[in-house]
Structures are given as C-alpha cells and as structure tokens.
C-alpha cells in the first residue's frame, strides 16, 4: 500500500532523509525504531506533506497515488493519516467542530453522502468512550490544555473516526501511562484490517507486545539500516543501536 | 458649512453665526464654548483616526434643530470633559429618543443605516431590578454620529448587542453607560470597520457592586479604519468589569484599540480585567493597541493585556492533514479566534455577518 523508494528529503536546507526505501503492504503493521534525531518524525512529516519538508529525490506512493504531487489535505483524502508526535493545540475550535469539518470535507471530496449530525455525534461519543476520554473532551478546544496522554488518545480518536487507509503513528505510546497504553493499543488494533496498513514509530518494545508488528525497521542516518521480524525489536531492546550504527 | 481645517476659534465663530437671528440658549452657549476644547488632529486619543473628517461629517449633516433642553440634557448625561466632541454633536442633534425599559423588555431601535446622516441621541433607562435587552444594528454610507447613553438603575440587568454593518462611511459612535448599584451590564459588540469608524465606549460603574462584561469582535479589512476606545471607569466600591475584544485586521485595514481601566479613589475592592488579542492577517494591514491603567486606590485587582499575532501555521497544517482544505482551515481558525466574542441577544445576526466577512477573507 505504501511504497517509498530511494527517498531523499530535507527540512529547510538540511538534508535528513537519505536514500530511504520502505514498503508497507495492506493488512500489515510495520514498526520503525531508531535513535533520537535519526529522521523518523521527518519521514512522517514528509509523508504528510508538511510545508517546509521537501522531497529531493526518490518517490512515495500510496497505492497508485504519487503522494508528492498532493497537498496535505489531498493526501488525507487519498487515505493517509498521521498521528503526530506533538499534536497542535487549537484554542477556540472545538474538537467536535473540527472532527465534523474533517469528516465532511473528506466525504465531500470522495463524493460520499454527508454524515448526518446525530450519527456523527453518536459515533464520536462512543469512540471517545472506548478510548477512556470523557465526552467533554469533544466540546473542548482541539488539544487545548490536554495532558500529553490525552493528546495522544485524541489522535487515535481521529484515526478511528476518519478510517484512513494508512495510519502513521509517531510515538503515540510516549507519555502514556500503562492503562492508557493498553487503551490506545486496543484502539489501534481495532483499526487493523486487511485493507488498512499501519506504520508505527516507537522507541519501546513494550508497545509491540500489544500491537504485534509484521516487520520492524531500524532508521538511522536518514535510511533504513536493518529490517527484520518482531524479534528484532527484542534484540534492540537488549543491545541498543550501537552494534548496527557502528559498522 | 465649515471646513475641517479650521482652527478651534474659527470653528467657534462660524458656528455662532449660524445662530444669527436667534439667540443661542444657555446650553447651546455652553456647547459653543466647549468647541474650543475639541481634540486636535494627532492628539493622543486621536492619533490613529483623523478627527477632522469626523467634524466635517458632523457639520455637513442636516443642521441641528434640537431644543436647548435637549442640548442641556445631553451635556449632562455624558462626560464632556473626556469627550468634548459631544458638544459638536449636541449642536447638530437631528433626533432625540428616550426610552425606559422594564422587566422583560426588548428594544430594537431603527437601524442607524436608515437615518443616513446627522447626530442621533438615544437615551435608555433600565428600571430598578429589571432585566432587559437592547439590540442596535448600524452602519451608514455617509456621515453619522450616534450617541447612546444608558442608565442602569439599582439591580438592573441589560443585555446589549451592538453591531456595525459593512460598507459604512464615516461614523462616530459613543456609548456612555452608567451602571448603578448591583446592576449588570453585558455588552456584545461587532464592528466591521468603515471608511472611518470611531467607537468610543465609556462604562462608568457608579454604584457599589455594579458589574460590566464586555465582549467585542473587531474586523477591519479593505482600506477601512476602525478605531475603538474603551474606558472602564470604576467610581464606586466592589465593582467588577471584564472586557475582552478580539481584533482581526486584513488587507489594508487599520485597526486601533485603546483600552483604559480607570479606578477612582472611591473604587476600593475593584476587580477589572481587559484583554485585547489580535490577529494580523496581512503585511499590509495595521494593528495598534494600547492598554492603559489609571489607578487611584490600592485595594484593587487589575489585569490588562494585549497581543498581536498571526495565524498559526502549525494549526493550519494540522487541520489540512485531516483533509480540511486550506481556505476552510483558515476560516475555521479565524472563527475559533473570534470564539465566544459573539454572544448575546443578537448572536445569530452577528455570527452571520462575521462568517460572511471571514469567508470573504479566506477565499
Ligand atoms: N525544522 C528543522 N530545521 C533543522 N533541522 C531539523 C528541523 N526539524 C528536524 N530537524 C533535524 O532533523 C533531524 C531528525 O529529526 P526528527 O525529528 O526526524 O528525529 P526523530 O527520529 O523523530 O527523533 P526522536 O526520536 O527524538 O523523535 C534532527 O537532527 C533534527 O534536529
Ligand atoms: Mg520524532
């Protein structure tokens, strides 16, 4: 579903991604691990089309769609979703209003029937509840004054409401307490489906106990330097990255 | 007709000759005397709007037909020292309306737009213990001075909505509010700017335990000028006032906000808060904001702040990353910024006007 080949990208004038190749087929979960500053969030931002991040070489495709041609909102409509490492606070715009606007915009762009207000509210409340988020969070400003963990759960709320094809989760597990980690993992597992793909950025093997990955990749120096099965995460937990980056 | 470039003395004598044949009454003479104290162009409180254009607009309107009694009443009702322009308006009064509001009353006076030109004075008294609503909608293509004076008697509550309309010309709006003991004044204001719009709001908390809550949304685009001066004057003990004005300037709009908290020696136990967050949406637009405090009592709590920012790029991107198109994302953020500034009894109308303007801005 996601095909990245020989991608190079820079932030401003600084080259960060340097010849990265990665494929995530539909139905699979791939984890990306790697040292701080290795370019994991940069990759996620490049995929989402964040202004300031430029592709300097290679290609990124979602299905048959060349992502690099698209505006951020068009990528979302094509089925890409990024759960941010640091979700933005938007005071004054309620979570509910925001979610409704996003769903309406996506449906309209795909020529689908609009979701009626009462089904939307019902669905939003039910999803919030599944994620242990008080329904009052729907009325509050988007991420406004949310704790770190609440922001992460709010990202998963959006994921479940928007039902994209590809979900990129950038350290959605950091800052979560043990119970919240489980709640979020359950949410993500509910999203797993034969026609959905997931790219998980994480520092901790623990998350992978809850969300079993098909593949684990190590990103360092702007490229994938090692790939393996779930056992690679265990090995990294034990040995760190030195044995990989030193050669 | 007099010209805006005349000196105060020339203005005075020119105005006097218009009384030829009839002798000006005592109040008219007093008003004539005040003309020599009119603000000079460029003076501190008129730094950002050309006061001369207002004089011209006032003087070119249908000439004053007010009785000496009306002139005297107007001079007594508002603070002529703070607003000497009242004197010029008093001499040009084209209409005077007095209304008393009882419990449950709702007053929607004819829109200023219908009155076209001239100086109009509306005096509203809210009866003791009554809760009432006042809804003013306005805007005019020509020159206008509209003075609204409001007296809240003891224990009265007034929910007041004031909105300008688009395409307004040169206009001076003065709202002078006297809040009596235990009364509550709630103001919801929307200004859409105009060729030259000057809004003065003077809230005097004159009775103990009086409260005033003001919210405002100030939108200024095109080549408009919108100059808004708010004074919260605490004259009695234990009064509270809160003012929050959100400003947005776009295109070549020039938006000015002056917010002054003035606490007299009698104002012990005052709690006063005034905030003015602004968004500058174009490099060609301009925002001037100046918070001022004048405090003559130690036993007070005051908070005062103003900010000028720009639309947050990260927030725009966050919305777009969820599939919301750029223009819709910007519109959502602008409405979010205005936020709860649009409440009160005329909320729907104000929201419609605001959304129309914001949509126009984001296309
Ligand atoms: N706007 C920017 N300007 C310059 N350098 C940047 C910018 N954004 C990121 N970088 C640099 O790019 C590199 C990769 O950052 P990135 O956030 O992708 O790392 P990461 O792998 O996600 O790290 P972490 O595990 O700490 O989240 C870092 O050295 C970072 O300082
Ligand atoms: Mg990161």
């Amino acid at each position: 579903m996601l095909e990245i080949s020989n991608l190079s990208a820079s932030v401003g004038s600084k080259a960060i991604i340097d010849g990265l190749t990665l494929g995530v087929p539909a139905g699979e979960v791939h984890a990306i691990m790697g040292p701080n500053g290795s370019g994991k969030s940069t990759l996620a931002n490049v995929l989402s089309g964040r202004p300031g991040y430029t592709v300097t070489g290679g290609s990124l495709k979602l299905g048959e769609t060349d992502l690099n041609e698209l505006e951020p909102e068009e990528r979302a409509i094509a089925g890409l979703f990024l759960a941010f490492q640091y979700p933005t606070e938007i005071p004054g715009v309620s979570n509910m209003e925001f979610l409704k606007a996003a769903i309406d915009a996506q449906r309209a762009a795909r020529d689908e029937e609009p979701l009626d207000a009462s089904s939307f509210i019902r669905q939003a409340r039910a999803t919030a509840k599944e994620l242990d988020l008080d329904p009052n969070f729907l009325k509050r400003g988007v991420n406004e004054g949310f704790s770190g963990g609440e922001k992460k759960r709010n990202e998963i709320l959006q994921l479940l409401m928007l039902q994209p094809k590809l979900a990129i989760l950038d350290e959605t597990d950091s800052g979560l307490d043990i119970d919240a980690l489980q709640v979020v993992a359950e949410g993500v597992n509910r999203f797993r489906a034969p026609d959905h793909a997931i790219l998980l950025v994480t520092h901790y093997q623990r998350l992978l106990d809850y969300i079993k990955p098909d593949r684990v990749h190590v990103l360092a120096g702007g490229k994938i330097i090692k790939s393996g099965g779930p056992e690679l995460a265990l090995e990294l937990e034990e040995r760190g990255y030195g044995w990989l980056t030193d050669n | 007709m007099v010209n805006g470039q005349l000196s105060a003395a020339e203005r005075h004598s020119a105005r006097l000759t218009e009384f030829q044949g009839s002798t000006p009454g005592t109040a008219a003479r007093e008003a004539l005397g005040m003309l020599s104290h009119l603000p000079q162009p460029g003076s501190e409180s008129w730094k950002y709007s050309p006061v001369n254009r207002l004089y011209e607009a006032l003087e070119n309107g249908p000439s004053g037909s007010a009785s000496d009694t009306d002139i005297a009443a107007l001079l007594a009702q508002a603070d002529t020292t703070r607003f000497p322009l009242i004197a010029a308006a008093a001499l040009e009064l084209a209409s005077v309306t007095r209304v008393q509001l009882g419990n449950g009353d709702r007053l929607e006076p004819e829109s200023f737009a219908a009155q076209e030109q001239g100086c109009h004075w509306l005096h509203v008294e809210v009866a003791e213990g009554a809760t009432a609503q006042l809804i003013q909608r306005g805007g005019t293509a020509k020159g206008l001075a509209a003075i609204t004076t409001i007296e809240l008697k003891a224990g009265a509550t007034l929910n007041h909505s004031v909105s300008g309309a688009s395409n307004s010309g040169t206009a001076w709006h003065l709202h002078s509010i006297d809040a009596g003991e235990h009364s509550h004044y709630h103001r919801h204001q929307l200004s859409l700017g105009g060729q030259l719009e000057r809004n003065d709001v003077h809230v005097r908390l004159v009775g103990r335990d009086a409260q005033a809550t003001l919210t405002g949304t100030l939108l200024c685009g095109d080549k408009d000028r919108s100059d808004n001066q708010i004074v919260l004057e605490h004259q009695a003990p234990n009064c509270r006032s809160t003012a929050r004005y959100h400003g947005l300037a776009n295109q070549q709009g020039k938006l000015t906000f002056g917010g002054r908290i003035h606490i007299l020696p009698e104002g012990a136990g005052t709690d006063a808060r005034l905030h003015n967050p602004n968004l500058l949406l174009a490099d060609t637009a301009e925002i001037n904001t100046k918070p001022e405090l004048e405090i003559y009592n130690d036993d007070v709590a005051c908070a005062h702040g103003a900010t000028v920012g720009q639309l947050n790029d990260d927030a725009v991107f966050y919305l777009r990353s969820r599939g919301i198109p750029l223009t819709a994302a910007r519109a959502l953020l602008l409405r979010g910024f205005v936020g709860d500034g649009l409440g009160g009894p005329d909320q729907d109308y104000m929201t419609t006007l605001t959304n129309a303007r914001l949509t126009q801005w984001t296309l």
Side-chain angles (χ1 to χ4, degrees):
Chain A
M1 174 174 295
L2 175 67
E3 284 299 336
I4 304 173
S5 55
N6 202 21
L7 178 74
S8 300
S10 48
V11 186
S13 58
K14 190 175 171 194
I16 312 277
I17 304 295
D18 176 22
L20 184 146
T21 297
L22 175 70
V24 187
E28 294 198 359
V29 175
H30 287 207
I32 293 190
M33 304 181 80
N36 292 133
S38 59
K40 302 179 300 297
S41 295
T42 303
L43 174 64
N45 282 316
V46 168
L47 287 170
S48 68
R50 187 173 201 127
Y53 291 74
T54 347
V55 172
T56 51
S59 68
L60 21 133
K61 287 172 79 177
L62 184 66
E64 290 305 302
T65 315
D66 179 358
L67 288 177
N68 198 33
E69 300 275 289
L70 303 183
E71 296 292 330
E73 56 269 37
E74 295 170 325
R75 298 181 194 212
I77 286 151
L80 183 141
F81 179 92
L82 168 59
F84 291 94
Q85 182 173 2
Y86 303 109
T88 309
E89 299 202 13
I90 311 182
V93 178
S94 82
N95 229 349
M96 194 74 124
E97 188 182 3
F98 157 60
L99 266 177
K100 183 81 166 60
I103 289 175
D104 287 350
Q106 294 206 14
R107 284 191 173 230
R110 296 192 196 110
D111 279 329
E112 293 167 7
E113 286 291 301
L115 185 64
D116 70 276
S118 64
S119 326
F120 165 74
I121 292 171
R122 220 175 314 116
Q123 209 175 311
R125 288 218 182 103
T127 312
K129 203 171 162 204
E130 285 165 6
L131 293 167
D132 252 346
L133 271 177
D134 190 288
N136 280 327
F137 277 85
L138 295 168
K139 292 184 206 149
R140 282 170 59 177
V142 176
N143 296 319
E144 188 183 0
F146 288 21
S147 76
E150 288 161 353
K151 284 182 183 162
K152 298 302 177 82
R153 275 183 277 170
N154 199 35
E155 295 291 289
I156 302 303
L157 171 74
Q158 295 165 44
L159 168 69
L160 293 176
M161 292 293 290
L162 292 168
Q163 291 291 314
K165 290 185 187 139
L166 169 71
I168 305 160
L169 309 180
D170 191 358
E171 294 196 31
T172 302
D173 54 333
S174 9
L176 292 180
D177 66 43
I178 301 155
D179 294 336
L181 181 66
Q182 210 159 337
V183 165
V184 161
E186 278 166 21
V188 174
N189 283 327
R190 215 173 310 123
F191 173 73
R192 276 182 101 146
D195 56 341
H196 287 167
I198 299 173
L199 192 57
L200 272 183
V201 175
T202 183
H203 285 297
Y204 306 106
Q205 141 67 21
R206 198 183 47 192
L207 176 70
L208 306 178
D209 287 339
Y210 296 106
I211 308 171
K212 292 262 176 278
D214 297 288
R215 300 284 292 163
V216 175
H217 309 276
V218 178
L219 199 166
K223 50 170 81 71
I224 303 294
I225 56 162
K226 181 146 184 83
S227 298
E231 70 287 346
L232 177 57
L234 290 167
E235 193 174 1
L236 292 170
E237 180 99 329
E238 215 161 279
R239 302 176 64 186
Y241 295 107
W243 61 287
L244 289 171
T245 48
D246 287 348
N247 336 341
Chain B
M1 295 299 153
V2 281
N3 184 285
Q5 300 311 314
L6 293 183
S7 71
E10 286 166 328
R11 188 182 300 281
H12 182 185
S13 74
R15 204 64 193 76
L16 254 180
T17 58
E18 285 179 36
F19 279 94
Q20 257 172 6
S22 65
T23 325
T26 322
R29 279 203 305 277
E30 195 189 339
L32 282 166
M34 287 176 186
L35 291 182
S36 53
H37 303 297
L38 288 179
Q40 291 305 303
S43 63
E44 190 53 30
S45 65
W46 289 89
K47 209 162 149 188
Y48 298 104
S49 33
V51 69
N52 268 334
R53 268 175 47 198
L54 277 180
Y55 294 150
E56 279 172 43
L58 286 182
E59 288 160 357
N60 290 340
S63 227
S65 53
S67 69
D68 207 55
T69 324
D70 282 338
I71 295 176
L74 177 55
L75 296 183
Q77 189 63 45
D79 186 342
T80 50
T81 312
R82 207 184 278 274
F83 305 103
L85 204 51
I86 293 170
L91 290 167
E92 304 286 347
L93 271 183
S95 77
V96 179
T97 313
R98 289 170 212 278
V99 182
Q100 219 208 19
L101 297 179
N103 198 29
D105 285 350
R106 176 186 172 106
L107 176 68
E108 292 182 54
E110 190 185 14
S111 138
F112 302 132
Q115 297 170 333
E116 284 288 312
Q117 267 185 300
C119 304
H120 305 273
W121 176 30
L122 169 68
H123 179 70
V124 174
E125 202 177 291
V126 188
E128 199 172 317
T131 296
Q133 295 183 351
L134 171 62
I135 294 171
Q136 288 178 292
R137 296 177 179 179
T140 173
K142 299 195 185 122
L144 176 91
I147 298 177
T148 305
T149 54
I150 297 173
E151 255 180 80
L152 285 92
K153 299 291 183 191
T157 298
L158 181 68
N159 288 303
H160 186 192
S161 289
V162 186
S163 49
S166 38
N167 308 320
S168 53
T170 298
W172 180 49
H173 297 273
L174 168 67
H175 285 250
S176 171
I177 297 106
D178 291 344
E181 226 174 277
H182 288 283
S183 69
H184 287 204
Y185 173 69
H186 299 280
R187 179 185 184 85
H188 307 272
Q189 181 178 340
L190 169 66
S191 150
L192 296 168
Q195 270 168 27
L196 168 54
E197 185 177 278
R198 165 83 177 205
N199 298 309
D200 281 293
V201 180
H202 187 204
V203 178
R204 293 187 289 199
L205 298 145
V206 296
R208 58 185 309 130
D209 295 296
Q211 286 190 32
T213 315
L214 291 76
T215 60
T217 302
L218 312 172
L219 307 178
C220 187
D222 296 325
K223 289 183 172 157
D224 287 353
R225 284 165 185 256
S226 166
D227 182 355
N228 303 272
Q229 302 289 330
I230 314 297
V231 181
L232 303 171
E233 189 172 315
H234 286 249
Q235 301 186 357
N238 297 325
C239 294
R240 294 170 154 273
S241 64
T242 313
R244 192 173 177 89
Y245 277 75
H246 295 251
L248 290 137
N250 196 15
Q251 295 144 343
Q252 294 173 62
K254 200 168 175 183
L255 176 64
T256 302
F257 182 84
R260 172 183 284 263
I261 295 175
H262 185 177
I263 300 166
L264 276 67
E266 297 78 18
T270 285
D271 188 318
R273 287 157 208 281
L274 200 148
H275 291 283
N276 173 230
N278 293 287
L279 274 187
L280 192 59
L281 299 173
D283 292 344
T284 44
E286 185 180 317
I287 293 177
N288 303 293
T289 174
K290 185 175 177 192
E292 288 175 286
L293 287 169
E294 203 179 332
I295 304 178
Y296 300 101
N297 189 301
D298 293 334
D299 174 25
V300 299
C302 285
H304 205 301
T307 56
V308 179
Q310 288 173 339
L311 209 54
N312 179 351
D313 288 338
D314 288 337
V316 173
F317 172 67
Y318 190 79
L319 298 178
R320 293 178 79 192
S321 79
R322 301 309 185 229
I324 301 171
L326 178 61
T327 52
R330 288 173 58 97
L332 203 57
L333 291 173
L334 296 185
R335 272 201 296 276
F337 175 76
V338 168
D340 51 10
L342 298 168
D346 206 18
Q347 183 175 13
D348 291 348
Y349 177 75
M350 284 172 27
T351 305
T352 307
L353 285 183
T354 303
N355 287 350
R357 175 62 62 95
L358 294 183
T359 304
Q360 194 188 318
W361 278 1
T362 47
L363 286 180

